[in-house]
Structures are given as C-alpha cells and as structure tokens.
Amino acid sequence: MKGMHLNRGSLAALLVSVLMVAPVKAQEAVTPNQAESAPLSSAAEPPRASEPRDWLESMAEATRQLTYRGHFVYQQGSSLETLSVLHTNQGGNEKELIRYLDGLPREILRHGREITFLSADRPPVRFEHESLMPMVGRFTGSDLGKYYQLRPAALDRVAGREAVQLLVVPTDRFRYGYQIWLDRQSSLMLKSVMVDSEGRIIERMQFTNLEFTDHLSEQEIKLLNRTSKGLPDETTVTMSSLEKGGNGHWGWEAGWIPDGFEVRNRTRRKSPVSERMVDTVIYSDGIASFSIFVEPDETRVLSQSSEQIGSMAAVSKVFRNNDTYFHVTVVGEVPLGTAERVAVSVRPASDKQAEK
C-alpha cells in the first residue's frame, strides 16, 4: 500500500482550524444588574478559595472580569512563541486582544463569544469561542468529572508573583495531565503545562510579565473596540449544535470513543487540507477535545499516517466501504494512541446496521 503523508503546512492549517473552534465551557450569563455594576477592576479581591475546586471557580471569574495587559510565552513541541495579551470587561462587555510577536504578524480579537483571527497572509476569519488564552478555557468550569483528579501541589512564584500550584491528574491513559499556577492574589492563571503519562512537558503557557490596571490608554481602547465593519472582507465559520440522536451527514460513526468524551458540536465546513466540504464532529471531556473530519476520498488507496506536534495528535486514514472510499482525519489534544484508536474505528453507520 502506498503511504499517505500529512505535510507540515497542511497539518499546521488543520491544527489552527481545530484550535479555533474547540469547545469549552460556556460563560455564566451576566444579568443586567450585574452588567451595570461591573467595574473596570485592576485586581480581584483576595480570593476566598481554600479548596482546589474553589480556586478553579475563582480563576474562572478572574479570567472573565479582570482588566490586565501582559506578555506570555507559548510552547508546543519544539515551537516557542511570544505573545501579548490585553483583556478587559467593562459593564459586562468582555474584550480581548492577543498578538503574536514572532514570525508572521497575527492577532486575535474577541468581543464576547465572537472572535476574529487576523493574519497577514489570509483574509480575516470569524469564529465563536470563549477565552482565547492558551489552556485557560480548559479550566473555566469547576466540574472535572470522574476522569480527572484535582490536587493541591505547592506555593511558587511566576512572573514575580506568588502563585498556587494545582495538579489535574487523569485517571486513565487516554488523556493528558496538567499543572496550573494561579496568581495568589487575583486567581488569574499565570502558568500552565500539559504533561504526558511519563511527566514530560509537551505544552506550556507562562506569563513573563503581567500588569493589572484601572485605566486603558486611548490606543488600547481603540484596538479593543475595532469591529468587523472596519476590517477587510472576512470568512465566517458557523457551527450548528448536534441534535440528540442525529447522525453525521454520510451516516458515519466512531466505534470507539474514550469514556467521558461526548459530542459537543457538529459542523459542515471547508477542509483546510483538501478544500472540499467535510463533516466535522467535536468531542470533549470538559478539558481535552478532539475532532473527527470525514470526506470522500478519490485516491482509492488504503493508507494511514500519524503525526504528533506538541500536544496535538493528527491521524489520517483512508478506508473502503464497498465501492466507496472515505478519508478520516482525527486531530486533537489527546495522546497519539488515543487518536489512532478513534480513527480506525470510524465506519459508515450502515456497516453497523448491516451487522444487526
């Protein structure tokens, strides 16, 4: 059989696409009274947290409510990038701007759940998402379920600030573990690392400097208040919720999904690899997530390839069902073995029905 290879350019496009639409916990609704009274605060009150889960709840509130600016480094595999972040919440209106300071000029602008990704080499793209800070969105809910254990670790210092370290330990080998450091005063996440089953760090986010403020400059306010009306033509990516009991567009299904992972979204969108329309289903356990892409294949060559880039596993497989060939790609923040097992289990639903 002829081997199949995902080149770095195609895989990078796919990984960016998946990261931009990965599902996370929905933010708590802000009531009108809360919105009117919500001040532009430079720092949270000393957290009332005492237990690890209390710290997570305090972190979720700090992530939404505080106004701050800073720089952080983000490492995935051998790639290391420096970024700046500007975040505010005034009157319940949350805005966030992240800029990549290395390589091609790129920035991500968020107004509430709507975000716009701007890059010097492509038209703007709009998505719906929650917090854009790497890894923060994974922990904005306090319910970790039975597949992770939350443990206190130690007191530490990050970016010159006192921090509380917590461990998020998986209960099986199908997902990664995490270590997070929260600012002892504000509860904002200062550092996070993803670790494999051997304790090796495979992804890292860490502030290098952080400043809380009561006032933003006119230039900062102008940058945050930009809207799509003032931007070039953009592509809008929409997602439709999966109806209970619904099947994929081609009637396919995954025969094996790790316990705890549930369908969060289904979309039909253009593939960043082939430019065809593909069916995409996103699974999440509340922290980790992965996506399954399915499209018709015209090569008619049975093949499989796998690649790991930092925390992101990518598995591509072509399988045959009678005279029809399908191309399945699984990409997500799970160990490569997990992604491979999911990929080889995907079949048209008619196969299962035929067995009954």
Side-chain angles (χ1 to χ4, degrees), residues 328-340:
V328 175
T329 303
V330 177
V331 179
E333 303 158 325
V334 293
L336 188 59
T338 301
E340 290 174 338

Side-chain angles (χ1 to χ4, degrees), residues 4-19 121-122 269-275 293 295 305 307 309 312-316 327 329-331:
M4 185 176 178
H5 178 68
L6 286 174
N7 61 55
R8 286 272 174 164
S10 297
L11 182 56
L14 188 57
L15 297 186
V16 168
S17 175
V18 172
L19 285 171
D121 66 340
R122 68 181 66 180
R269 51 195 292 236
K270 182 180 291 185
S271 167
V273 176
S274 68
E275 296 301 317
F293 300 83
E295 60 184 300
S305 66
E307 189 163 5
I309 298 181
M312 301 298 291
V315 177
S316 179
H327 186 176
T329 303
V330 177
V331 179

Side-chain angles (χ1 to χ4, degrees), residues 247-318:
N247 292 319
H249 180 72
W250 289 299
W252 60 272
E253 60 190 5
W256 181 84
I257 297 294
D259 290 341
F261 282 87
E262 298 179 352
V263 173
R264 295 300 173 88
N265 291 97
R266 180 181 66 186
T267 80
R268 182 164 173 77
R269 51 195 292 236
K270 182 180 291 185
S271 167
V273 176
S274 68
E275 296 301 317
R276 297 190 185 95
M277 296 302 295
V278 301
D279 282 345
T280 306
V281 174
I282 302 174
Y283 287 85
S284 175
D285 66 357
I287 294 181
S289 62
F290 63 87
S291 298
I292 303 176
F293 300 83
V294 182
E295 60 184 300
D297 181 79
E298 297 177 357
T299 65
R300 303 180 70 83
V301 176
L302 299 178
S303 57
Q304 179 176 334
S305 66
S306 304
E307 189 163 5
Q308 183 93 39
I309 298 181
S311 64
M312 301 298 291
V315 177
S316 179
K317 174 180 173 60
V318 175

Side-chain angles (χ1 to χ4, degrees), residues 86 95 216-226:
L86 178 64
K95 298 180 181 180
L216 298 179
S217 69
E218 291 185 6
Q219 178 64 17
E220 288 174 327
I221 294 175
K222 183 178 179 180
L223 289 172
L224 286 171
N225 287 339
R226 285 177 299 166

